[in-house]
Amino acid sequence: KRAHLQEERAALMRRLEEVNMQLAQIDEDQGHCDKQAEILEVKLREQRQHFEDKIAGSFSRQKRLTDEKLRAVTCKECAHVALDIVFREERRRLQEL
């Protein structure tokens, strides 16, 4: 019976060693995955910042163009008003003659 128990203990020790090796591999893989996750988080933050900057730049350009268009429309309206004044004044002078 002792020999049988020793064989069983040896088998259990081999199995325990296998389990320990598997746990060590899992720990190593987990460490690798954690490191990769950190790298990906950094890349994600960088990409997010990059595109947020691009979006902000796009909004800024859009606002500048809108302001420029508004100034152009205002100038055009002023020019039309000035022309109207000149034509009215010219008509008035012609009627005076």
Side-chain angles (χ1 to χ4, degrees):
K1 184 166 181 163
R2 180 176 175 82
H4 175 71
L5 288 174
Q6 285 178 333
E7 285 176 24
E8 189 176 338
R9 181 171 75 181
L12 288 172
M13 293 297 285
R14 282 190 303 274
R15 179 65 185 132
L16 181 59
E17 189 172 324
E18 288 174 8
V19 168
N20 285 337
M21 287 176 23
Q22 288 176 349
L23 286 172
Q25 183 64 47
I26 289 171
D27 290 342
E28 184 180 325
D29 292 345
Q30 180 66 46
H32 179 72
C33 288
D34 290 345
K35 185 162 184 96
Q36 284 297 103
E38 288 175 24
I39 290 169
L40 291 173
E41 285 175 10
V42 168
K43 285 183 180 180
L44 176 62
R45 278 193 301 272
E46 289 170 353
Q47 289 294 312
R48 181 182 297 128
Q49 187 62 50
H50 170 74
F51 285 108
E52 285 175 357
D53 291 345
K54 285 181 91 62
I55 290 168
S58 177
F59 280 131
S60 178
R61 279 190 306 280
Q62 186 177 14
K63 181 171 179 357
R64 272 196 321 273
L65 290 173
T66 300
D67 291 346
E68 187 177 327
K69 183 178 178 182
L70 181 59
R71 285 191 302 274
V73 168
T74 301
C75 287
K76 185 177 179 182
E77 182 63 29
C78 287
H80 284 292
V81 169
L83 277 175
D84 287 345
I85 291 170
V86 168
F87 288 140
R88 271 187 269 147
E89 186 62 26
E90 188 178 342
R91 266 188 260 134
R92 187 184 64 77
R93 283 190 184 168
L94 287 174
Q95 286 175 354
E96 287 178 356
L97 294 176

